[in-house]
């Protein structure tokens, strides 16, 4: 399970340190793809396989399904860790998530997310006051 929030800088070559707590779950490489809300999603190989199978099980006769599958899989890239625990995020993915300097790696349970620090801080600030209401709106979720 991925959890926590970690702030790191991405270098000019697109290399980003992945925190050891996340990296230790990944067995040498990860799959990075388009995420939601302007971030990138980081999966272990096993996590990616499970996600991919879910995508492939959706009805292909629906235009929205085909679009979702295309947008997700066409941007997916396997990234290996270097000796310093960094991955090299491909330029198209960096552009998609506006990753330029300061980044935030956020644990999201079955995957992690990579955000530009500005986008993450804005997203968090805009939504944190709705925390209670968000949970109240989730049907079937009881604590």
């Amino acid at each position: 399970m991925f959890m926590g929030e970690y702030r790191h800088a991405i270098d000019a070559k697109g290399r980003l340190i992945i925190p050891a707590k996340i990296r230790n779950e990944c067995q040498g490489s990860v799959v990075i793809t388009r995420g939601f809300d302007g971030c990138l999603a980081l999966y272990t190989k096993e996590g990616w396989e499970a996600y991919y199978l879910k995508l492939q099980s959706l009805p292909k006769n629906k235009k929205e399904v085909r679009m979702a599958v295309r947008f997700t899989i066409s941007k997916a890239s396997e990234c290996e860790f270097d000796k310093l625990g960094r991955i090299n995020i491909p330029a198209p993915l960096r552009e998609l998530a506006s990753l330029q300097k300061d980044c935030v790696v956020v644990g999201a349970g079955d995957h992690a997310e990579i955000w530009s620090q500005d986008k993450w801080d804005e997203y968090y600030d805009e939504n944190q006051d709705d925390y209670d209401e968000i949970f109240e709106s989730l049907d079937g979720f009881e604590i």
Side-chain angles (χ1 to χ4, degrees):
M1 173 176 49
F2 298 120
M3 59 184 174
E5 177 182 311
Y6 311 89
R7 294 177 183 257
H8 293 282
I10 192 168
D11 70 15
K13 294 182 181 179
R15 296 175 299 196
L16 177 67
I17 292 173
I18 300 300
K21 287 185 177 183
I22 291 177
R23 193 173 60 242
N24 292 341
E25 302 294 321
C26 299
Q27 301 175 356
S29 70
V30 293
V31 175
I32 307 285
T33 192
R34 161 182 263 161
F36 299 115
D37 304 312
C39 72
L40 300 178
L42 177 151
Y43 292 91
T44 64
K45 285 192 252 183
E46 295 79 15
W48 172 251
E49 283 184 32
Y51 187 62
Y52 172 81
L53 291 174
K54 287 179 186 176
L55 286 173
Q56 292 301 304
S57 71
L58 296 170
K60 292 178 180 52
N61 63 324
K62 293 187 179 263
K63 180 180 181 179
E64 293 81 8
V65 168
R66 294 190 306 272
M67 289 174 63
V69 170
R70 285 181 189 129
F71 287 148
T72 302
I73 296 175
S74 68
K75 294 297 181 187
S77 180
E78 185 173 355
C79 301
E80 294 185 2
F81 293 104
D82 67 11
K83 294 176 185 177
L84 301 176
R86 302 175 300 187
I87 56 170
N88 190 331
I89 300 173
L93 286 172
R94 292 194 315 265
E95 291 171 19
L96 187 67
S98 303
L99 303 180
Q100 295 176 355
K101 178 72 175 152
D102 296 320
C103 297
V104 183
V105 179
V106 178
D110 67 341
H111 69 285
E113 297 176 339
I114 302 170
W115 292 78
S116 76
Q117 183 174 307
D118 290 341
K119 274 189 180 181
W120 171 251
D121 289 343
E122 180 182 332
Y123 177 84
Y124 189 86
D125 290 344
E126 286 179 2
N127 294 291
Q128 71 173 332
D129 291 339
D130 298 329
Y131 182 81
D132 293 338
E133 290 82 18
I134 292 167
F135 271 91
E136 285 179 17
S137 72
L138 299 177
D139 293 331
F141 185 82
E142 295 180 28
I143 298 179

